[in-house]
Amino acid sequence: MTHDGASGAFLAGQTGLIVEIPEAEPVVRAWRERLDPGARAGVPAHVTVLFPFLEERLIDASVHAAISGVLAGHEAFDLRFEECGRFPGTLYLAPVPDTPLRRLTLAIAERWPHTPPYGGRFAEVIPHLTIAQDQEPHVLSSVEADLRPRLPFSAHVSSVALMAYDGTIWRRRTTFALPPATDG
C-alpha cells in the first residue's frame, strides 16, 4: 500500500487487501522501517492485492462473504523474490511468478470495479513488495546493494489480509484463506 503522494499521509478509514510476506521481514524490515511510510504505519512486508479498497465503514458481513467468494477461486501458491525493481523514487522486490498475484488483483477489482488498483493511477498492475519510497536514486542503489546478497528467498501465500487505517496505524481486520493447491 502506498501513502497519498499529495499529502504524504494515509487517510483514516482507508482499507486495502494485501498478501503478507513474513518471510521477507528478516531481509527488508530495517530498510522498510526507515524508508517506507507504510512500514512505519504498521503495514507488514506485503504485496498489495487492492488499494485503496472500500471505506472501512462500508465493509460488513456481506462484503466479507463476497471477498471469500472471489478468493475461493484462487489456490494458495509459492513465490520467489530474486531481484529488485524500481519505479521512480521507489525500490521493490519483484515476486516470481507474479501471475497469481495479478489474478487476485484483477478478480477483486472486477468484483468492485469502482475501486481500481492504486486508485486508477497506473495503467498496469505490477505486483511488488515495496522497500523504499520517495527516495533519491543513490539511496535506492545503496539499499539494493545491501539487499542483493540476501536474495533469493521463497514465500508461501495462503491468505489475503484486509487491513484498515484508523488514523494512527494500519491494523489487520481479518484474513481470508486461499484454498490449498491441488495437484494437476
Side-chain angles (χ1 to χ4, degrees):
M1 292 184 293
T2 251
H3 64 88
D4 175 3
S7 68
F10 298 106
L11 303 174
Q14 281 184 313
T15 67
L17 293 165
I18 67 171
V19 168
E20 295 181 64
I21 309 291
E23 298 89 344
E25 291 291 352
V27 177
V28 302
R29 176 181 288 140
W31 287 116
R32 287 187 69 243
E33 287 176 357
R34 285 181 50 205
L35 303 174
D36 180 7
R40 292 191 300 272
V43 182
H46 70 283
V47 177
T48 300
V49 173
L50 189 66
F51 175 80
F53 188 50
L54 302 173
E55 288 293 317
E56 187 174 23
R57 63 184 171 75
L58 301 175
I59 298 176
D60 59 15
S62 67
V63 171
H64 282 227
I67 294 169
S68 292
V70 169
L71 296 179
H74 300 266
E75 295 180 343
F77 54 94
D78 293 318
L79 296 172
R80 283 181 55 84
F81 292 86
E82 300 173 350
E83 60 185 39
C84 294
R86 292 191 192 187
F87 302 127
T90 299
L91 180 72
Y92 64 87
L93 293 179
V96 178
D98 69 359
T99 302
L101 295 160
R102 288 176 190 265
R103 288 182 182 146
L104 288 173
T105 296
L106 294 174
I108 295 288
E110 182 177 298
R111 172 59 180 82
W112 286 277
H114 58 286
T115 61
Y118 302 103
R121 290 179 21 211
F122 307 105
E124 182 183 4
V125 171
I126 301 173
H128 60 282
L129 190 157
T130 300
I131 299 163
Q133 292 185 58
D134 302 323
Q135 301 298 315
E136 296 295 324
H138 72 277
V139 173
L140 301 179
S141 294
S142 177
V143 174
E144 184 173 358
D146 179 70
L147 292 175
R148 199 173 294 121
R150 295 188 249 169
L151 300 176
F153 65 88
S154 297
H156 180 70
V157 175
S158 59
S159 64
V160 173
L162 172 65
M163 303 289 290
Y165 188 65
D166 65 11
T168 303
I169 195 164
W170 283 93
R171 299 184 191 278
R172 182 184 314 101
R173 295 298 188 213
T174 192
T175 302
F176 302 93
L178 297 174
T182 57
D183 292 333

